[in-house]
Amino acid sequence: MKYKQKRYIIPLIILGINLLFTTSRTGILCTGVFLFLFFVTTPKIKIRYKILIFIICAILCGVAIKVVYEQYPDIAQKIEKVFVRPKSIKSFTGRADIWKIGMDLVNKDNKTLMFGVGRFVGVKALDVVKYGNITQFHNFYIDMLVTGGIMELVYLISIYLFVIVKVLKSQMEGKFKAIYISVFISYALYCFFESLGRFSIGCADTVCLVTFISIPLLHANGIHEKKKIVLQKIEFEGNSEEIENQNIVDDELGKGEIE
């Protein structure tokens, strides 16, 4: 976005292919939400063109789905089996059972609702789950409620809200703000299905915190500092020019006195 170099398209294509290979419905859905939100919020395209592009894409997608289901039923069944997996949609691939355990822990009394039961108690409660070694509730919000209750959930959300407000109030270009807002909304949706960004030392959480906390803050504060340095430079150059002009006047006055 900043340098407009086409070479950056290559890693984006590679990441897109990798995303499809994961067959992660949550990842694909949230990436789609991000792209849609970025398309809607970007100031580079006029609204009437956005509406036109959206209608054309919707028609093309509808026609493509119809053709695949009617002309290529084998491919349609393969896509449905690998990506859609309709049998597991109702239970969110077993997540519904895990979420129920977490909410039952939290709703024991007002104390646990406010302060949680602690991470180790929460992980221990997941031993009864039949899906294997589960160490998280696959829901950021429930994970935080179980670990530290409403207090921890509000505290962590307030950190993300602080970053968002910082970005919105900064003087960065609108196209960058559109990226960040689209990212945060799609990330908030992703957190309903995965426990990501819990301020832990894990690889995924670290990458998440760098992406959603460090980079936006550095970007927002960096523009503020850059503008401050420019203003100081202008002020310094202005003062230097005034001093130089004053020295010239003094020199002229000095010459006049000598003459």
Side-chain angles (χ1 to χ4, degrees):
M1 289 297 294
K2 184 173 177 61
Y3 298 107
K4 299 179 181 178
Q5 295 181 8
K6 294 182 179 179
R7 64 181 180 181
Y8 293 117
I9 296 176
I10 297 174
L12 290 176
I13 293 173
I14 294 172
L15 287 171
I17 294 171
N18 287 341
L19 178 61
L20 291 176
F21 281 147
T22 66
T23 67
S24 169
R25 291 172 296 184
T26 304
I28 295 171
L29 173 64
C30 292
T31 302
V33 170
F34 163 74
L35 293 173
F36 174 76
L37 290 172
F38 177 64
F39 172 74
V40 170
T41 57
T42 179
K44 295 182 68 175
I45 305 174
K46 294 182 179 179
I47 295 177
R48 62 175 178 270
Y49 294 131
K50 290 178 181 178
I51 296 173
L52 181 62
I53 293 171
F54 179 76
I55 293 172
I56 292 173
C57 289
I59 293 172
L60 290 175
C61 287
V63 171
I65 293 171
K66 183 177 171 57
V67 169
V68 169
Y69 268 90
E70 290 182 354
Q71 303 295 328
Y72 307 97
D74 293 339
I75 296 176
Q77 289 178 4
K78 188 71 174 177
I79 293 173
E80 187 175 316
K81 181 180 179 181
V82 175
F83 290 100
V84 180
R85 304 195 291 277
K87 292 182 180 179
S88 63
I89 288 178
K90 188 175 180 180
S91 65
F92 296 101
T93 320
R95 285 178 174 84
D97 297 334
I98 299 172
W99 295 344
K100 186 178 184 303
I101 293 172
M103 294 310 298
D104 288 343
L105 280 173
V106 172
N107 289 322
K108 280 184 178 179
D109 51 53
N110 292 334
K111 183 180 178 182
T112 55
L113 181 61
M114 188 60 64
F115 301 104
V117 297
R119 172 153 180 78
F120 294 109
V121 174
V123 172
K124 185 69 177 175
L126 291 173
D127 289 343
V128 299
V129 179
K130 60 184 178 181
Y131 303 110
N133 185 25
I134 305 296
T135 60
Q136 53 185 262
F137 289 90
H138 287 275
N139 184 304
F140 170 83
Y141 309 104
I142 293 178
D143 248 305
M144 294 304 99
L145 282 173
V146 171
T147 304
I150 293 175
M151 296 291 290
E152 182 167 349
L153 180 62
V154 171
Y155 174 69
L156 291 181
I157 290 178
S158 66
I159 294 175
Y160 286 105
L161 289 176
F162 170 79
V163 177
I164 294 171
V165 171
K166 195 81 173 177
V167 168
L168 290 176
K169 286 187 174 181
S170 71
Q171 298 179 3
M172 70 173 64
E173 296 177 55
K175 60 183 180 182
F176 296 124
K177 289 184 180 181
I179 289 176
Y180 287 125
I181 296 306
S182 302
V183 161
F184 275 110
I185 292 175
S186 55
Y187 169 63
L189 176 63
Y190 189 83
C191 285
F192 278 104
F193 303 97
E194 296 295 343
S195 301
L196 190 63
R198 298 172 298 170
F199 285 80
S200 75
I201 59 174
C203 177
D205 288 313
T206 301
V207 172
C208 177
L209 294 175
V210 168
T211 304
F212 300 117
I213 302 294
S214 302
I215 292 176
L217 280 178
L218 287 170
H219 194 172
N221 291 333
I223 290 176
H224 176 72
E225 291 298 322
K226 183 178 179 181
K227 286 185 178 286
K228 189 163 68 173
I229 291 170
V230 170
L231 289 173
Q232 289 175 347
K233 184 178 179 182
I234 293 172
E235 184 180 354
F236 173 77
E237 289 177 350
N239 291 338
S240 298
E241 188 176 347
E242 289 178 6
I243 293 170
E244 187 176 347
N245 291 336
Q246 185 63 44
N247 289 336
I248 292 172
V249 171
D250 291 342
D251 289 342
E252 293 294 331
L253 290 174
K255 290 178 180 178
E257 289 177 1
I258 292 171
E259 291 175 357

